[in-house]
Amino acid sequence: MSRLELHDVTEKNLRELTEFPLRPGQDQFVAPVVHSIAEAYVTPTAWPRAILDGDEVGGFVMANFDPENELEAFRCGIWRLNVAAGAQRRGVGRFAVEEVAREARRRGRDRMTVLWVEGEGGPEEFYLRCGFVPTGERVFGQVLGVRTTGSL
Ligand SMILES: CC(C)(COP(=O)(O)OP(=O)(O)OC[C@H]1O[C@@H](n2cnc3c(N)ncnc32)[C@H](O)[C@@H]1OP(=O)(O)O)[C@@H](O)C(=O)NCCC(=O)NCCS
């Protein structure tokens, strides 16, 4: 996986972004990309990006950077992450996490968050492997994980 890049959501990648499937059973852990892009349209602090693997869409990531938000989970962190079924387990998700960390550092932030739903087939192990540590706090019934924005 040497050609991974984040790109803006554009007319060119929109169809692929909204049509790629997850693996069976994963839909319960994340909103559909089309839903996230609609939310981004009405949320000025959202940072939605296509994850390109060469010319192909490998996934979608959306961060939120809203430093004044009363909830820490929305100040600086990953909001959505969907990796296409055929691109999973090849480092695409980790790449997206590190790119969000890089953008967070660029914005002067040293701490980033993510919320995840627990359950069989869910993303918990992935986020632990990416360095997030559960705070013990739950937000909307989800686990709040935090890590530094420095490279691991
Ligand atoms: C969770 C998800 C984003 C992971 O993406 P990915 O590209 O497959 O993950 P990576 O290949 O970058 O994996 C990074 C590390 O996590 C591990 N990992 C990934 N998925 C895992 C899983 N389901 N169980 C255990 N470990 C997992 C990998 O083995 C790798 O470990 P290592 O590098 O330390 O050996 C992807 O499975 C997905 O889109 N799931 C459905 C939607 C979802 O749950 N999104 C999160 C919403 S909060």
Side-chain angles (χ1 to χ4, degrees), residues 29-30 81 83 88-91 93-94 123 125-127 129:
F29 297 104
V30 70
L81 176 56
V83 174
Q88 289 187 18
R89 296 299 192 108
R90 293 194 285 143
R94 186 191 291 282
E125 190 58 34
F126 164 75
Y127 282 123
R129 288 203 171 254

Side-chain angles (χ1 to χ4, degrees), residues 20 22-23 26-31 58 78-85 87-96 114-117 121-127 129-130 142:
F20 71 74
L22 297 175
R23 290 188 177 177
Q26 291 182 330
D27 290 350
Q28 62 185 302
F29 297 104
V30 70
I78 294 167
W79 186 2
R80 300 278 160 66
L81 176 56
N82 312 51
V83 174
Q88 289 187 18
R89 296 299 192 108
R90 293 194 285 143
V92 174
R94 186 191 291 282
F95 169 78
V114 68
L115 292 175
W116 70 76
V117 176
E124 181 161 82
E125 190 58 34
F126 164 75
Y127 282 123
R129 288 203 171 254
C130 287
Q142 300 182 29

Side-chain angles (χ1 to χ4, degrees), residues 10 14-15 20 33 42 49 57 65 79-80 82 84 88 93 105-108 118 124 137-138 143-144:
T10 65
L14 183 64
R15 178 178 284 264
F20 71 74
V33 174
V42 295
R49 294 291 185 275
V57 168
F65 298 109
W79 186 2
R80 300 278 160 66
N82 312 51
Q88 289 187 18
R105 288 198 299 276
R106 197 183 70 74
R107 292 167 184 251
E118 287 173 296
E124 181 161 82
E137 187 188 343
R138 284 178 173 274
V143 177
L144 174 66

Side-chain angles (χ1 to χ4, degrees), residues 56-101:
E56 289 188 12
V57 168
F60 170 79
V61 63
M62 186 156 86
N64 195 44
F65 298 109
D66 184 10
E68 307 303 324
N69 200 295
E70 58 180 318
L71 291 180
E72 182 182 16
F74 299 130
R75 288 181 205 145
C76 173
I78 294 167
W79 186 2
R80 300 278 160 66
L81 176 56
N82 312 51
V83 174
Q88 289 187 18
R89 296 299 192 108
R90 293 194 285 143
V92 174
R94 186 191 291 282
F95 169 78
V97 168
E98 294 305 330
E99 287 295 290
V100 171

